[in-house]
Amino acid sequence: MTVSTTTDFRLWPGKLSPDAQAALASEVLALSQTAPFYKPVTPGGKAMSVETTNFGALGWLTDARGYRYQATHPMSGAPWPAIPQGLLDLWAELADPVTPPDACLVNLYRGEARMGLHQDRDEADFSFPVLSVSLGDTAVFRLGGPKRSDPTRSMRLSSGDVCLLAGEARLFHHGVDRILAGSSRLIPGGGRINLTLRRAGPSPG
Ligand code: SIN
Ligand code: FE2
């Protein structure tokens, strides 16, 4: 069990300064040289429009065998790179000061990439929140409720924005309708990077 310092959905617009965004973007892109972005395939056999990679002890992936966390990159078989310290610090500040995240999913949205409405529910313990960091082009983000049929609201997530799904919102449906191409110059070649920090394994304590 963890004592969460925050509850529900929270958004910190512009939490990362332009300098911090640039530093994090270059760190992420450098790490993606060792753990390259790739296009995952859903269990149903459809290629996702986002490219993904992971940092941390566990990485989220999908393939014909289903959705799961695993310790290694599916192409290289190598362990995922460590989660950058700046992200660990952000998690400690905004999500959980005691238990660090063990997984960071990195999504790269280029062109028409989007993400359908879903819940994050492949983690062992939903008492840990999910912390999301946006870099690059603005996303049209959709947030619903615990049921797929619940009403949704649309909001924009811009570069440097950080949001938290905690408490009741931990299992809220969410997705990305589209990316506003050209809204940022942060990512070389354009696009958006989203980093979601999670505690995927069981509580260490
Ligand atoms: C996700 O739910 O994995 C990504 C959300 C986002 O890109 O903002
Ligand atoms: Fe998600």
Side-chain angles (χ1 to χ4, degrees):
M1 268 298 288
T2 180
V3 179
S4 184
T5 54
T6 47
T7 51
D8 302 322
F9 178 81
R10 294 191 60 186
L11 171 63
W12 292 269
K15 174 71 183 169
L16 299 186
S17 69
D19 282 354
Q21 294 168 39
L24 183 57
S26 6
E27 195 172 2
V28 167
L29 291 171
L31 291 172
S32 75
Q33 300 299 306
T34 39
F37 284 104
Y38 68 97
K39 268 196 190 206
V41 175
T42 66
K46 272 185 64 179
M48 290 180 73
S49 57
V50 290
E51 297 167 61
T52 68
T53 185
N54 288 274
F55 306 144
L58 291 170
W60 184 87
L61 55 86
T62 168
D63 60 18
R65 284 165 47 208
Y67 302 125
R68 64 184 177 283
Y69 281 93
Q70 80 175 36
T72 52
H73 194 290
M75 273 93 203
S76 67
W80 306 104
I83 300 175
Q85 188 59 46
L87 292 173
L88 296 175
D89 293 345
L90 204 59
W91 171 279
E93 180 192 343
L94 303 178
D96 189 321
V98 176
T99 306
D102 57 3
C104 177
L105 172 64
V106 190
N107 289 139
L108 173 62
Y109 299 78
R110 298 233 202 236
E112 303 294 302
R114 54 184 294 280
M115 180 153 321
L117 206 65
H118 67 279
Q119 291 171 295
D120 289 4
R121 52 178 319 138
D122 299 313
E123 300 74 32
D125 184 346
F126 300 139
S127 65
F128 292 105
V130 171
L131 189 71
S132 153
V133 179
S134 294
L135 293 174
D137 284 340
T138 299
V140 181
F141 181 74
R142 187 166 293 282
L143 181 67
K147 293 203 303 283
R148 173 165 290 276
S149 56
D150 285 335
T152 62
R153 60 187 153 130
S154 173
M155 65 189 87
R156 291 185 178 199
L157 295 180
S158 304
S159 197
D161 291 359
V162 177
C163 67
L164 185 80
L165 294 170
E168 210 193 323
R170 173 63 180 77
L171 288 172
F172 280 8
H173 286 76
H174 58 278
V176 172
D177 292 347
R178 63 199 170 91
I179 303 300
L180 304 181
S183 47
S184 159
R185 298 170 53 92
L186 186 69
I187 312 292
R192 170 176 186 257
I193 290 176
N194 175 258
L195 302 134
T196 45
L197 296 155
R198 296 104 182 260
R199 180 86 209 169
S203 170

